[in-house]
Structure formats: structure tokens, C-alpha cells
Amino acid sequence: MDLKEAIEKRKSIRSYSEKEVSDNLIKEVLEAARLAPSGNNSQPSKYLVIKSKEAKKELSDNDVFVQKFVCDAPVLIICCSDTNAYTKNISGVDDANKIRALRDVSIASSYLTLRATELGLGTCYVGWRDEVKIKKMFNLPEEYVIPYVITLGFYDKEPPARERKTFEEIFLGFR
């Protein structure tokens, strides 16, 4: 599968098979995230992988997620970004470190989801989460932002393609 095909094929998967995702496959998708660009090569992205039924039950019992499918996924990847990772700042040009951290983890996570698609895995970005509870449960530093969690696994059935805006609807033109 080439990159264009992975981009076209990637969908948000909310129903997974019970097939186990090997640690090697998880490392493959995290390696793709590791290689993503970041501002000033700060590499602020961090990932906590949740596989155990106990940890998923604790997340569920503490109502960390609005959507119930999340804790049913074989793997949850808690996507973090360290706001203290930036050593260079240009006054008047740079965004606040939180915005920079969100931008960089989002780029890296896109690499992660595309690599997962290439490997035959499904993913879903989950933004409805309680960041404070996640930090407390897993003893994550206060300076980390957790904009979303990504579910990961083999999907049991491929969902139909969702309608997308046309090129003309997103293209603002050449100048």
C-alpha cells in the first residue's frame, strides 16, 4: 500500500475484532510517530500504551471517556505532548508552547494512524476524554497535554466511506 492509498483508506474505526495486536505492530506505529517532524526538532510527543483489561476497566469505571466503545478496543494509545520541550522561542512569532505541543503531537499522530492503516489496523481519534483523570490515573506530568486518545486494533468490519467535501469546497485558490 502506498501513502496515497493509506490516506484514502484510513477511517475512524469504532468496532474491533478480538484479535490481539502484537507489541511489534504497536512499536511499528509508534516508530512512525517518532519520525514525524516537530518544531525546532523538540520531539515533545509521548505515548502511553494501554493493553491490559484492568487498566481499561479502570478507565471505564472512572468515566474517562464519553463513548463506551473506547475501552472495548484492543489497544488505547494515550497521546501526550510535553509543553516544556521547547527550548527556542522567537518573541512575537511563536505560538504559546501549548499550541506548539498540540500541533506537534497531531502531526506525529497522523503518521501513526497512516502507518496503522498500512499495516491493516484500524484507529480512531477520541477527543472526548477527561484529561485530568488520565493524568492522575497514570501519574503523568502536569505539563503534558493530552488532546486525544487513539484506539487501535483489527477492525471486524470495514465501515463505508464517509462523504468528504469536494476539492472546490476546501481550496481557497492560488495567489
Side-chain angles (χ1 to χ4, degrees):
M1 176 181 307
D2 65 13
L3 179 59
K4 185 175 190 294
E5 186 179 355
I7 291 168
E8 291 170 345
K9 188 173 170 83
R10 197 223 58 85
K11 295 179 182 74
S12 294
I13 304 297
R14 293 176 178 85
S15 180
Y16 295 94
S17 76
E18 292 184 21
K19 183 177 178 183
E20 183 182 345
V21 180
S22 72
D23 289 351
N24 284 339
L25 285 175
I26 295 168
K27 287 176 183 176
E28 281 285 327
V29 301
L30 292 176
E31 179 66 7
R34 184 185 72 80
L35 295 173
S38 61
N40 299 116
N41 196 32
S42 58
Q43 303 174 51
S45 302
K46 312 285 184 203
Y47 299 92
L48 176 62
V49 176
I50 307 297
K51 289 178 61 174
S52 77
K53 290 186 188 313
E54 297 79 23
K56 288 188 266 183
K57 182 176 182 342
E58 185 179 358
L59 288 163
S60 180
D61 290 349
N62 284 287
D63 296 318
V64 171
F65 302 105
V66 173
Q67 300 152 300
K68 297 303 176 195
F69 83 91
V70 177
C71 291
D72 292 335
V75 178
L76 307 179
I77 302 175
I78 297 176
C79 301
C80 307
S81 196
D82 182 355
T83 60
N84 288 341
Y86 302 93
T87 57
K88 281 185 177 177
N89 287 296
I90 300 174
S91 181
V93 177
D94 275 330
D95 293 322
N97 282 359
K98 182 174 181 180
I99 293 171
R100 295 169 82 188
L102 292 170
R103 180 174 50 232
D104 287 341
V105 74
S106 296
I107 293 167
S109 297
S110 291
Y111 279 42
L112 184 156
T113 61
L114 291 172
R115 180 68 173 132
T117 300
E118 181 184 38
L119 294 169
L121 295 161
T123 59
C124 186
Y125 285 90
V126 179
W128 288 338
R129 81 285 166 263
D130 189 320
E131 180 177 2
V132 173
K133 287 181 182 177
I134 292 172
K135 284 181 183 179
K136 186 175 178 181
M137 288 174 65
F138 299 108
N139 198 29
L140 296 172
E142 184 59 36
E143 62 271 13
Y144 283 14
V145 291
I146 305 170
Y148 44 78
V149 170
I150 296 175
T151 60
L152 178 75
F154 293 98
Y155 44 88
D156 55 4
K157 59 182 175 184
E158 188 170 344
R162 295 184 70 180
E163 190 172 317
R164 298 287 181 192
K165 291 182 179 181
T166 66
F167 180 81
E168 290 74 21
E169 291 176 290
I170 67 158
F171 181 63
L172 297 176
F174 293 111
R175 303 275 188 220

